[in-house]
Amino acid sequence: VLSAVEKLTALLGPARVLTGAEVSEDDWHDESLVAHWHAPDVVALPHSAAEVSAIIAIAREFGLPVTARGSGTGLAGGCVPREGGVLIAFREMSAILEIDVDNQVAVVQPGVSLRQLDEVVARHGLVYPVYPGESSASLGGNVATNAGGMRAVKYGVTRHQVLGLEAVLGTGEVIRTGGKFVKATSGYDLTQLIVGSEGTLAVVTEAILRLYPRQPHAATVLAPFRTVAEIATAVPRIVQSGVAPMILEYIDMMSMAAITAARGLELGIGAAVKEAALAYLVVVLESRDPGRLDEDIEQLGDLITTLGALDVYVLPARAASDLIEARERAFFAAKAAGANEIIDTVVPRAQIPEFLAEVSLIAQDTGSMVIGCGHAGDGNVHLSVFQTDPERLERVLRGVFAAGAALGGAVSGEHGIGTDKRSHFLALEDPAKLALMRRIKTAFDPDGILNPGAVLEPETASMQPSAR
Ligand SMILES: Cc1cc2nc3c(=O)[nH]c(=O)nc-3n(C[C@H](O)[C@H](O)[C@H](O)COP(=O)(O)OP(=O)(O)OC[C@H]3O[C@@H](n4cnc5c(N)ncnc54)[C@H](O)[C@@H]3O)c2cc1C
């Protein structure tokens, strides 16, 4: 009788089936600060949906868990193969299959990175607008986590760009959903069920993504404020003003100090302003027309001055891109400073001040340092929690997630539940909805082999992976 590895090798050939020392440590983990690294029993490198289907058939036969992996930049422990089993890595399915300029869509394999797609669509004067902080992230991972990022305030998140998918279910069936169109009212929307399902419902093997005209002119406005609360109050006014910011971020004073120091960034802010500022607002505007952009900058400057900005800086292009890049890398600055956990709770944007007030109380109460920055325009607050005592850390997380939920928010705005946030998600979510999610999970993946332990608790009691 052939083992699972022997069957996989017969399917893919020895070069595309990795075991033992052939498995790189990179495949053991993502960027989560808390998920325990775990080696898969075997890594499979497919070239097609048909091969993914055959891999899943083998995994089903042997009762092996299957974890899909993109670039491993996830922050929720989602692609960690916790129970061993088969890791399907998409580094050999990284082709941009089509840029359809007339329909403004890209058709991509899951291993394509954001950077790779951006380079190609730029040549056509187009942009794929979802830009989470890590451009090495794969489109398959973005679809699975419903990635957000800084530009969501203008363009929406991954969910709003995915027009169709090819995906393999836990049964091994290959389905195609949606198409190169923005409208479809023809049965249940399976595309949207799969987006954000973190590899627990289906393995994505192709995506049809919406593209937009690339705006040639952009300006970055930096405004220091006395408090984060003032910024949070200003954000809804900026959105209502109609200047349509592409990026609307806040960075608290501690985070600003950390990210600018990490990159040796000098933004030309005077000492007196620096001393008075507890937080910074960053707004990026873009336009087809430079004159129109200048008008928008002026309107924005006037507005934020009346809303309490201590000063308004329109950054030179180089400083602007350095600042945005530094903000994108804020996670690594927090990690280097010893953060114990990263939270990405979302609340309605107008509730950010109340939320942050609650967070301050929780931090005081537990003797923790909680600092942050975030996609203020989306109500998506990113907090770095410094608390080495596990019991206190747990209290911070419980308190912050409960505060977000009480304000009408959700545990995660974009990083996902993965395994890291599962207990908090299960504790706060409506039991009727959880029961429905479990029924959906069973319909897509009757044996519970797809990424067990992520999002929901495993359906099967215990799997005994024995790939060899
Ligand atoms: C510095 C930094 C900044 C970041 N900033 C942001 C941000 O602003 N916004 C944001 O949303 N995220 C952000 N992230 C998180 C991360 O980049 C995103 O979650 C991204 O979507 C993960 O993509 P990936 O290819 O690395 O996926 P992985 O980490 O490999 O996997 C993530 C999840 O997707 C599943 N998956 C992967 N590929 C597939 C597939 N083909 N089919 C089915 N399931 C699959 C995995 O099983 C796992 O559950 C940041 C991360 C870092 C390190």
Side-chain angles (χ1 to χ4, degrees):
V1 183
L2 293 180
S3 70
V5 169
E6 285 165 338
K7 287 199 168 188
L8 288 168
T9 308
L11 174 71
L12 303 174
R16 293 197 282 131
V17 178
L18 312 177
T19 55
E22 295 166 333
V23 177
S24 152
E25 262 195 22
D26 272 353
D27 286 336
W28 298 20
H29 67 96
D30 62 3
E31 292 294 342
S32 157
L33 293 181
V34 295
H36 295 292
W37 294 16
H38 198 300
D41 293 331
V42 51
V43 177
L45 304 173
H47 284 172
S48 66
E51 286 186 355
V52 172
S53 171
I55 293 166
I56 287 179
I58 294 167
R60 260 191 117 183
E61 182 189 337
F62 287 84
L64 297 171
V66 174
T67 308
R69 185 182 198 278
S71 302
T73 70
L75 293 172
C79 72
V80 180
R82 288 158 302 278
E83 302 176 50
V86 184
L87 184 80
I88 303 184
F90 283 103
R91 38 193 182 259
E92 299 207 1
M93 277 181 81
S94 58
I96 297 174
L97 300 174
E98 190 184 358
I99 303 294
D100 180 339
V101 175
D102 287 344
N103 285 310
Q104 272 187 215
V105 299
V107 183
V108 300
Q109 289 190 318
V112 170
S113 73
L114 281 165
R115 189 183 300 125
Q116 191 187 340
L117 181 61
D118 190 56
E119 278 167 16
V120 172
V121 296
R123 287 184 221 140
H124 298 272
L126 296 168
V127 69
Y128 177 65
V130 179
Y131 225 75
E134 184 51 64
S135 58
S136 67
S138 74
L139 268 315
N142 276 198
V143 170
T145 57
N146 184 25
M150 293 197 207
R151 299 181 191 164
V153 66
K154 177 164 182 183
Y155 292 100
V157 296
T158 301
R159 181 176 298 297
H160 303 114
Q161 325 306 340
V162 181
L163 301 178
L165 292 172
E166 178 188 69
V168 187
L169 311 185
T171 55
E173 292 160 291
V174 181
I175 59 166
R176 280 192 168 271
T177 68
K180 293 177 177 178
F181 40 76
V182 294
K183 287 180 171 177
T185 310
S186 306
Y188 301 144
D189 195 333
L190 300 175
T191 308
Q192 293 300 335
L193 258 180
I194 294 169
V195 175
S197 64
E198 300 186 54
T200 63
L201 295 184
V203 175
V204 174
T205 48
E206 198 176 298
I208 303 175
L209 305 170
R210 200 171 175 177
L211 303 174
Y212 297 76
R214 205 173 183 97
Q215 303 293 319
H217 305 284
T220 301
V221 174
L222 175 69
F225 278 74
R226 271 183 205 85
T227 62
V228 182
E230 276 184 6
I231 291 184
T233 309
V235 162
R237 305 283 96 75
I238 298 167
V239 174
Q240 285 155 20
S241 74
V243 295
M246 170 170 71
I247 291 178
L248 189 46
E249 298 279 309
Y250 90 89
I251 305 173
D252 73 16
M253 185 250 296
M254 299 277 278
S255 303
M256 188 62 141
I259 65 175
T260 49
R263 293 185 67 87
L265 195 58
E266 184 41 70
L267 296 167
I269 301 165
V273 172
K274 237 183 212 168
E275 209 156 285
L278 282 187
Y280 294 80
L281 176 72
V282 182
V283 188
V284 180
L285 303 175
E286 60 170 5
S287 179
R288 196 164 56 85
D289 173 65
R292 173 70 195 272
L293 183 63
D294 286 343
E295 279 171 31
D296 285 350
I297 294 169
E298 207 175 314
Q299 189 188 332
L300 175 71
D302 291 346
L303 177 66
I304 55 183
T305 304
T306 62
L307 292 168
L310 294 165
D311 210 339
V312 177
Y313 304 84
V314 182
L315 296 180
R318 185 55 204 263
S321 66
D322 281 355
L323 176 62
I324 295 298
E325 214 178 304
R327 162 62 192 94
E328 284 171 348
R329 316 300 289 172
F331 162 74
F332 289 116
K335 184 178 172 182
N340 301 97
E341 179 57 303
I342 304 286
I343 297 177
D344 79 310
T345 298
V346 64
V347 295
R349 72 165 81 92
Q351 270 57 61
I352 293 179
E354 288 152 90
F355 177 65
L356 289 177
E358 283 285 326
V359 170
S360 282
L361 289 178
I362 295 164
Q364 268 171 32
D365 210 41
T366 55
S368 315
M369 183 165 80
V370 183
I371 63 170
C373 50
H375 311 308
D378 315 323
N380 189 195
V381 179
H382 288 205
L383 301 170
S384 305
V385 184
F386 296 79
Q387 175 52 265
T388 48
D389 177 66
E391 188 271 328
R392 285 177 181 222
L393 179 61
E394 184 61 18
R395 267 169 55 205
V396 175
L397 300 181
R398 220 180 309 127
V400 170
F401 292 135
L407 291 167
V411 168
S412 168
E414 53 184 19
H415 297 161
I417 300 300
T419 45
D420 296 0
K421 313 276 171 6
R422 189 185 70 187
S423 62
H424 298 284
F425 170 67
L426 295 177
L428 289 167
E429 190 50 279
D430 173 1
K433 278 163 64 188
L434 287 175
L436 177 58
M437 285 184 204
R438 290 195 182 96
R439 295 200 292 274
I440 292 169
K441 164 79 176 160
T442 305
F444 275 77
D445 177 25
D447 297 340
I449 59 169
L450 295 184
N451 215 3
V455 187
L456 301 169
E457 70 271 20
E459 208 74 62
T460 48
S462 147
M463 292 201 191
Q464 297 296 328
S466 62
R468 296 186 196 96

